[in-house]
Amino acid sequence: GGRLAQITWRSSRGFYYDPATLKQTGEFHTPLEDGWGLTNDTNSNLMIITDASYKLHFVDPGAPGASNGSMSLDKSVTVTDHSKTIRFANELETVGG
């Protein structure tokens, strides 16, 4: 089940794929100018996207197969390490979620 998602670097676009066949099944548009890292939060059904800044952006992908394919920004949080802002947190993984 499920689907794979890929974002593009500077076009605010992304693509969905069937995980069994790797055939493209859809396209979406993010509210961000750049796309770098991508993962999902299974507890909230939000996608987490980075854009080479110091923020993680939580984006609502909408319903699978939504007609316009546009996502909406739910929230953004600053990435820090001991109160120091961290930029370029682009390698994202979801662990245990």
Side-chain angles (χ1 to χ4, degrees), residues 7-43:
I7 54 174
T8 58
W9 178 29
R10 290 192 171 166
S11 70
S12 302
R13 289 178 29 185
F15 303 97
Y16 291 119
Y17 299 92
D18 178 295
T21 65
L22 298 181
K23 290 187 179 184
Q24 184 179 330
T25 59
E27 183 174 328
F28 60 88
H29 301 276
T30 75
L32 307 173
E33 291 182 20
D34 281 351
W36 287 77
L38 173 68
T39 191
N40 66 316
D41 178 1
T42 56
N43 295 320

Side-chain angles (χ1 to χ4, degrees), residues 74-88:
D74 186 74
K75 65 182 175 181
S76 296
V77 297
T78 301
V79 179
T80 61
D81 181 14
H82 294 91
S83 300
K84 181 181 178 190
T85 302
I86 304 296
R87 191 167 178 214
F88 301 117

